[in-house]
């Protein structure tokens, strides 16, 4: 009989704990994920508590996701553009952008991707061909920029040759936004 009462008490405690969690969970679930990652609504976009401003739209790109920070990456946003072109804008601790670019290059080389030299705006970044078995090649390029108070990286994923002419205007649009950061 004692065991039966003990089991009933145990199940009652578990049930109460589950009920309490259910009551708390919806309130927690109402907090937008960007607020948990340190983002606040800003005129025309979001602003991270570290200062990075990510407009809803940059050139032909629309913000689709906010990113949390890490050890040297303080904040960032993912954007999508025409025909699946993707951009990731990140803010880094000051004087770490070059190190991020070197890490990008090493990791892509270690993964077996082919480093390519491109023309135009892509020539100033680090570019890799990450898909070459289809009629269009997928290319990924990273640029790093040193700012007055932080460093930044811009990563673009696009197809060659179809989106080659769109890389320059994309980089220009993002660098104009970065120029307003500092």
């Amino acid at each position: 009989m004692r065991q039966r009462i003990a089991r009933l008490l145990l199940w009652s405690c578990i049930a109460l704990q589950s009920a309490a969690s259910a009551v708390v969970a919806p309130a927690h679930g109402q907090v937008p994920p960007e607020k948990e990652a340190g983002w606040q609504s800003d005129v025309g976009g979001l602003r991270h508590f570290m200062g990075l401003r990510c407009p809803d739209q940059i050139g032909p790109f629309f913000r689709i996701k906010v990113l949390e920070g890490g050890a040297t990456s303080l904040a960032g946003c993912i954007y999508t553009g025409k025909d699946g072109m993707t951009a990731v804008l990140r803010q880094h601790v000051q004087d770490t952008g070059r190190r991020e670019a070197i890490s990008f290059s090493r990791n892509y080389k270690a993964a077996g991707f082919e480093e390519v030299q491109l023309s135009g705006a892509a020539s100033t970044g680090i570019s890799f061909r990450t898909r070459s078995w289809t009629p269009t090649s997928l290319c990924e390029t990273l640029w790093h920029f040193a700012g007055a108070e932080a460093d930044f990286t811009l990563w673009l994923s696009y197809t060659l040759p179809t989106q080659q002419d769109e890389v320059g205007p994309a980089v220009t649009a993002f660098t104009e936004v970065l120029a307003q950061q500092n």
Side-chain angles (χ1 to χ4, degrees):
M1 183 70 159
R2 286 184 196 171
Q3 286 181 334
R4 190 172 200 190
I5 293 172
R7 276 192 228 139
L8 283 172
L9 286 172
L10 177 63
W11 282 109
S12 296
C13 289
I14 291 171
L16 284 173
Q17 187 176 18
S18 294
S21 295
V23 171
V24 173
H28 180 68
Q30 293 175 2
V31 176
E34 58 268 11
K35 291 220 184 270
E36 289 182 0
W39 291 91
Q40 297 177 348
S41 291
D42 195 36
V43 176
L46 294 174
R47 179 178 45 82
H48 193 267
F49 72 90
M50 295 300 294
L52 179 65
R53 293 179 186 272
C54 288
D56 294 333
Q57 184 176 359
I58 297 178
F61 291 85
F62 293 91
R63 182 175 36 78
I64 59 170
K65 185 173 179 155
V66 297
L67 302 169
E68 289 187 52
T72 61
S73 297
L74 303 175
C77 283
I78 300 174
Y79 289 83
T80 188
K82 183 179 157 193
D83 297 326
M85 195 171 189
T86 304
V88 178
L89 178 65
R90 285 193 84 69
Q91 178 184 19
H92 302 276
V93 172
Q94 190 171 19
D95 298 326
T96 63
R98 180 166 159 64
R99 185 175 33 196
E100 292 292 327
I102 291 168
S103 177
F104 168 83
S105 181
R106 285 182 182 153
N107 291 339
Y108 273 57
K109 285 178 185 174
F113 294 122
E114 173 192 1
E115 187 169 6
V116 292
Q117 298 300 318
L118 301 172
S119 59
S123 68
T124 60
I126 303 166
S127 300
F128 286 87
R129 187 179 324 268
T130 57
R131 181 186 70 208
S132 57
W133 57 87
T134 60
T136 58
S137 295
L138 185 63
C139 189
E140 299 180 29
T141 303
L142 182 90
W143 293 266
H144 67 91
F145 309 97
E149 297 176 13
D151 284 5
F152 303 91
T153 55
L154 172 64
W155 172 89
L156 282 180
S157 173
Y158 51 95
T159 58
L160 292 176
T162 56
Q163 294 178 319
Q164 184 171 351
D165 293 338
E166 298 171 41
V167 173
V171 172
T172 299
F174 279 94
T175 54
E176 286 174 359
V177 167
L178 288 177
Q180 298 169 8
Q181 300 286 329
N182 284 298

